Amino acid sequence: MTPLAWFVLAVALYAVGLGLFFYWLLPRAETLPPDDPAGFSDAEMIEMQRIRQEGE
């Protein structure tokens, strides 16, 4: 095989591996728990932090 053929084969295998990795990763990312266990949105967290800072 020529060097170009080896390069094309390597790129194809890399692309397949990357595709399989994301195919495996994405369904798991959707089921991860949120960063905040209480389930507050970012806006709610910012508002609570602002209220806390005003109280200090």
Side-chain angles (χ1 to χ4, degrees), residues 25-44:
L25 181 70
L26 289 177
R28 282 153 185 75
E30 293 170 358
T31 59
L32 289 175
D35 292 337
D36 177 42
F40 293 112
S41 70
D42 289 344
E44 290 170 322

Side-chain angles (χ1 to χ4, degrees), residues 7-54:
F7 177 75
V8 169
L9 180 64
V11 170
L13 289 175
Y14 176 77
V16 168
L18 202 60
L20 288 174
F21 173 72
F22 281 105
Y23 178 76
W24 169 83
L25 181 70
L26 289 177
R28 282 153 185 75
E30 293 170 358
T31 59
L32 289 175
D35 292 337
D36 177 42
F40 293 112
S41 70
D42 289 344
E44 290 170 322
M45 293 297 290
I46 291 169
E47 181 68 17
M48 286 189 286
Q49 186 178 12
R50 185 185 63 77
I51 291 170
R52 247 184 265 129
Q53 288 174 347
E54 286 176 356

